[in-house]
Amino acid sequence: MPMYGDPKKRLEEFVKMKTATVAIHGGQKPDPITGSVMPPIFQTSTYAQTAPGQPIGEFEYSRSHNPTRRVLEDCLALLEGGVYGLATSSGMSAITLVASLLQKGEGVLCCDDVYGGTYRLFTKVLNQSSSNFKFMDFSNLAKVEEAIDKSTKILWVETPTNPLLKIIDIEGCAKIAKKYGLIFVVDNTFASPIFQRPLDMGADIVMHSVTKYLNGHSDVVAGALVTKRDDLADKLYFNQNSMGLVLPPFDSWLVLRSLKTLPVRMKEHAKSSLELARWLESHPKVEKVIYPGLESHPQHALAKKQMLGFSGMISFYVKGGLNEAQKLLKQVKLFTLAESLGGVESLIEHPGIMTHASVPLEIRTANGISDNFIRISVGLEDLADLKADLDQALS
């Protein structure tokens, strides 16, 4: 069980609520002392005890648990259809926490297209203690099953992937994981729980860079894990407390604020993105557009099957090479040239130079991350203004 309290009891009155209601009320009630509608920020490191080992309430030390963080964790668990939520100090710390489940000699079989920071952590840090971190294309699940060996402990996927926006069959991967007794982890950052719920399709753990869509305002760095499994929750809570991979209370409060508008924001991100992707497909200076909502996307049918919306990320190839790509990136005025994604403001970046620079050139090239490859995060500005900015920059 988690360190404090039983989340199943805390969450039982919220589990039948619809997603938009959960985003606003999930795991939360007005403060019983003041009537505050928003959960208080418990900016404290420790809690008084009436006798040794007998705290006044449920809490002893904020590394172990904090009331503000717990409310956020409960809300995240509800949004993902899980039971146990863990809020961490970054997306990378959430990945590190999952990796702490590995024993000596155990490793990860990961999809080949992942965030550059994930690739760097797996290959440059965790690989120092285990050489069993392998990457492959997950579009052919028969080959994925063939690649599993006695060292494989975790199946790790992003879907949609970053930055090529591949769609991976969650239910198919879950069946393979169950067959071989593996832990199946889905990075759900790009879709958010509004458009995709991997736990409902058989995943064991859902991971988020909360920095992105869940927070959505480019002012917090955070991560999260959600699971239904008691055994995994026990290990993850113990390791989180032992390793100190926790989100501070003020950041937790900021994310709670942001979650209340998540359903509305995601619908607008997706609506604008689909229109913008179709417009880019017809632009004479664009070679190819990748967006799961387009009929031209090779896994469009799978995306429609397992997603409720296609989110706000678009990748495309400009006609030309690095010179043309750099001209575009320097010429935009409304799009901000910056790493990250999922905020209310639109961002644009060059994965090969920026977010995926830690991936070796030969692997980037093989995956299709070329010099003329661009990734954009479509924000909540007026669509006409976004089109006008890209048009003047491309032209």
Side-chain angles (χ1 to χ4, degrees):
M1 294 298 296
M3 190 141 317
Y4 297 102
D6 184 348
K8 293 178 182 177
K9 291 182 179 179
R10 289 201 306 271
L11 304 183
E12 59 186 6
E13 65 180 283
F14 299 99
V15 294
K16 294 183 179 180
M17 293 180 180
K18 302 298 184 181
T19 302
T21 306
V22 167
I24 296 172
H25 298 286
Q28 304 165 60
K29 294 181 180 179
D31 179 59
I33 298 176
T34 65
S36 171
V37 173
M38 279 297 291
I41 304 171
F42 287 90
Q43 195 70 43
T44 183
S45 62
T46 193
Y47 307 82
Q49 301 189 19
T50 57
Q54 297 181 23
I56 291 175
E58 294 183 42
F59 305 97
E60 296 175 353
Y61 193 61
S62 276
R63 171 170 43 78
S64 304
H65 233 306
N66 174 278
T68 312
R69 188 170 77 242
R70 189 177 76 176
V71 173
L72 170 61
E73 291 170 335
D74 284 351
C75 189
L76 291 172
L78 285 162
L79 284 170
E80 281 290 0
V83 178
Y84 308 100
L86 300 93
T88 66
S89 54
S90 68
M92 298 312 302
S93 65
I95 299 172
T96 301
L97 185 54
V98 173
S100 73
L101 299 173
L102 296 171
Q103 302 296 315
K104 186 176 180 179
E106 295 178 338
V108 176
L109 182 57
C110 181
C111 61
D112 58 354
D113 184 41
V114 288
Y115 167 54
T118 305
Y119 182 89
R120 180 177 56 230
L121 178 67
F122 284 173
T123 60
K124 301 297 184 183
V125 180
L126 299 177
N127 227 16
Q128 303 303 310
S129 57
S130 172
S131 60
N132 300 313
F133 287 80
K134 298 184 292 186
F135 298 83
M136 67 177 299
D137 185 357
F138 269 56
S139 60
N140 187 329
L141 293 187
K143 290 186 177 180
V144 171
E145 188 169 0
E146 290 175 4
I148 294 170
D149 59 33
K150 62 180 181 180
S151 70
T152 308
K153 180 68 174 181
I154 294 174
L155 283 188
W156 186 285
V157 303
E158 295 176 4
T159 182
T161 64
N162 182 5
L164 293 163
L165 303 178
K166 295 180 182 179
I167 305 300
I168 295 173
D169 185 347
I170 295 174
E171 288 186 346
C173 287
K175 291 177 181 177
I176 293 173
K178 185 176 181 180
K179 179 178 179 179
Y180 293 94
L182 308 180
I183 300 170
F184 178 34
V185 184
V186 177
D187 182 337
N188 201 29
T189 299
F190 272 27
S192 89
I194 304 304
F195 291 146
Q196 187 168 264
R197 301 230 301 192
L199 296 181
D200 293 345
M201 292 179 270
D204 296 300
I205 299 173
V206 170
M207 175 265 164
H208 280 279
S209 174
V210 175
T211 311
K212 312 307 192 296
Y213 284 114
L214 295 184
N215 183 61
H217 292 79
S218 302
D219 54 10
V220 169
V221 174
L225 301 175
V226 177
T227 185
K228 293 180 180 180
R229 286 178 49 177
D230 296 349
D231 58 334
L232 292 178
D234 285 342
K235 295 176 182 178
L236 290 170
Y237 276 108
F238 181 86
N239 291 357
Q240 182 187 38
N241 182 48
S242 301
M243 300 165 73
L245 303 176
V246 297
L247 187 65
F250 181 60
D251 290 345
S252 299
W253 183 88
L254 285 172
V255 177
L256 271 169
R257 168 217 60 182
S258 298
L259 289 180
K260 295 180 185 299
T261 61
L262 179 64
V264 177
R265 287 188 286 111
M266 294 308 299
K267 290 175 184 176
E268 286 302 309
H269 284 304
K271 179 181 177 182
S272 292
S273 295
L274 181 57
E275 292 189 39
L276 192 61
R278 286 173 174 163
W279 176 81
L280 282 168
E281 269 197 318
S282 65
H283 199 285
K285 295 295 181 69
V286 174
E287 181 181 294
K288 179 183 178 182
V289 180
I290 306 172
Y291 182 68
L294 294 175
E295 290 77 6
S296 59
H297 191 287
Q299 290 109 21
H300 176 64
L302 177 59
K304 287 202 302 182
K305 176 185 175 184
Q306 69 183 27
M307 300 179 73
L308 297 174
F310 305 112
S311 201
M313 301 302 298
I314 302 173
S315 294
F316 64 95
Y317 296 86
V318 297
K319 288 183 178 178
L322 182 59
N323 185 50
E324 286 73 19
Q326 288 184 326
K327 283 182 179 180
L328 164 66
L329 297 172
K330 291 177 182 178
Q331 189 66 25
V332 289
K333 295 179 173 62
L334 185 57
F335 280 83
T336 301
L337 177 59
E339 297 190 5
S340 199
L341 59 102
V344 295
E345 61 287 306
S346 293
L347 304 179
I348 190 168
E349 65 112 5
H350 189 281
I353 297 174
M354 299 169 71
T355 55
H356 290 69
S358 59
V359 179
L361 175 60
E362 63 273 16
I363 295 178
R364 292 201 309 267
T365 303
N367 286 346
I369 305 174
S370 55
D371 286 343
N372 63 332
F373 183 73
I374 303 293
R375 190 194 77 179
I376 60 176
S377 173
V378 180
L380 301 183
E381 301 93 342
D382 190 280
L383 180 61
D385 293 327
L386 295 178
K387 286 181 180 179
D389 189 37
L390 286 176
D391 192 38
Q392 66 82 23
L394 284 164
S395 302

